[in-house]
Amino acid sequence: MQQQPIEEVPKYDPISPAAMQTNMYIILYARSTLAATAGAAAGILGLTGTTGFVFFFAASAVMSAALVLRTGFNPNKYFPQNRGWMQISTGEVVNSLFSYMLFWTLFSGLVHLFE
Amino acid sequence: MVSQDNAMYLDPAIRDWVLMPIMAAMILVGILRHFATQLINTMPKSTLKDIRQGCALIRSRQLRFTTDIPEHAFETRRQFLMDAFEKNEYMKNPDAATSTPNPMQDPAAMANMMEGLKKNMLMFVPQTIIMNWITFFFSGFILIKLPFPLTLRFKAMLQSGIETRDMDVTWVSSLSWYFLNLMGLQSIFTIILGEDNAAGGMRDMQSMQQMNPAMMAAGAGASPDGHALFKSERESLAISQHTTLRLRGAELRVLELFGGGAHGAAARRLNKKKV
């Protein structure tokens, strides 16, 4: 299993586009939910400045780890051309950053700003 | 923490009557836009011949990429398709001139362009209305404090309508709250409406910028010309070769799949024989 006895066999990528679409959507959904909840948490905790961004990337890393765990440490099985690790760890992170900022602002305002 | 280092508080009425309504309005407009787009989206009209032409091309492409069939079968199909393309058998209108038709006279192309226009309208009209609504009613006061620092350059943009020089840039007016919503609500729409939502936000703009050149090209009359498509497809077919790349070593993979380590030796022996 660990040692590949056959070197000459060309890589065959049997991934159906529909299944891959679903996988992408799962990542998108997970990241979206994470952005909203992490943003709310950061706002309630009252994080400001760089701390907040560090919090976001830490949360994203945790989410990446959770996703990798979900794929059974074999993300390449779910995405084509060996982009599994890339896709799982970085996919949609930048897009979700905006949502994180929105919720961070909203909750820090609601909790700490209005009197 | 926020409230400690700068002792400024905002009126809760601002929260109740400005902050929340703007966000609610933007979410609702996004949902409305999603369903309006679904309503407007019509299936592209096509005749039987259109579909046949497209399917012939798809078939040929599949033959070129999926060659997991015996060689004689591949060769027969290749010859057949090449002959068919040569004789324009699957053409929509075989007698048409090779010159590209004017897209303005082709109803299909016109419908395509109208589709794009409608989508653009749905994108820009609500956003313009909301932006005007916000600048008209809610300008001139501080709405919220951003928890992240910004450089002074943003001051003019984010504190529009507030003429104070010394206030921290992180205190922003309602227009910045609008922009924050515009960029950040995408994930909410993903959660509410699912993946392929048309609710707006940044993703849509990105895709539009990518789509536009392609749409322009299609509108300019390059795409519906069957002659050129068939000609190029025929050339690709002519140079395509039969390989069983993906089938090669299939038995070894099966052995590996079911036998695991026990059949490793057998697999290796087979492998040697093959090479």
Side-chain angles (χ1 to χ4, degrees), chain B residues 48-238:
Chain B
L48 197 61
K49 294 212 159 162
D50 274 329
I51 295 170
R52 200 175 65 151
Q53 175 176 340
C55 283
L57 287 173
I58 290 171
R59 205 169 138 204
S60 147
R61 214 159 290 152
Q62 273 180 344
L63 182 67
R64 281 193 291 123
F65 289 120
T66 319
T67 57
D68 300 328
I69 50 175
E71 190 162 3
H72 61 91
F74 176 79
E75 209 39 59
T76 322
R77 282 168 172 76
R78 192 167 76 106
Q79 278 306 329
F80 172 77
L81 280 175
M82 273 170 66
D83 285 349
F85 288 163
E86 184 71 50
K87 285 183 255 165
N88 286 339
E89 235 168 78
Y90 295 117
M91 279 294 279
K92 190 166 40 170
N93 36 358
D95 312 321
T98 31
S99 67
T100 56
N102 186 1
M104 285 300 167
Q105 284 158 4
D106 186 1
M110 275 303 276
N112 251 340
M113 281 163 75
M114 277 307 287
E115 203 66 22
L117 271 182
K118 270 192 264 182
K119 273 192 189 134
N120 277 358
M121 287 286 284
L122 269 183
M123 176 69 212
F124 287 116
V125 169
Q127 299 303 355
T128 319
I129 290 175
I130 292 184
M131 208 165 145
N132 278 321
W133 170 59
I134 287 170
T135 43
F136 186 77
F137 283 105
F138 304 131
S139 63
F141 57 88
I142 288 294
L143 181 63
I144 203 164
K145 182 182 191 299
L146 299 177
F148 41 89
L150 291 167
T151 52
L152 270 176
R153 214 169 302 164
F154 289 98
K155 194 172 165 74
M157 189 179 85
L158 296 182
Q159 292 187 353
S160 58
I162 306 153
E163 312 293 334
T164 46
R165 262 187 301 147
D166 298 331
M167 197 188 286
D168 195 21
V169 198
T170 53
W171 295 92
V172 293
S173 64
S174 48
L175 202 59
S176 357
W177 177 241
Y178 163 77
F179 281 118
L180 210 56
N181 271 289
L182 186 66
M183 296 197 292
L185 278 180
Q186 186 59 47
S187 69
I188 297 302
F189 293 137
T190 305
I191 293 170
I192 300 175
L193 299 172
E195 182 182 19
D196 288 325
N197 66 71
M202 296 315 275
R203 179 183 300 268
D204 218 61
M205 289 187 200
Q206 283 164 8
S207 69
M208 239 168 51
Q209 276 159 7
Q210 285 160 6
M211 284 281 284
N212 256 359
M215 258 165 57
M216 290 296 165
S223 84
D225 182 20
H227 280 280
L229 282 178
F230 274 127
K231 199 155 167 277
S232 71
E233 191 59 42
R234 195 185 165 278
E235 276 162 15
S236 317
L237 263 186

Side-chain angles (χ1 to χ4, degrees), chain A residues 90-112:
Chain A
T90 61
E92 304 292 339
V93 170
V94 178
N95 279 335
S96 65
L97 179 59
F98 288 114
S99 299
Y100 173 79
M101 277 156 69
L102 172 68
F103 278 87
W104 185 18
T105 309
L106 177 67
F107 276 86
S108 70
L110 288 184
V111 174
H112 300 281

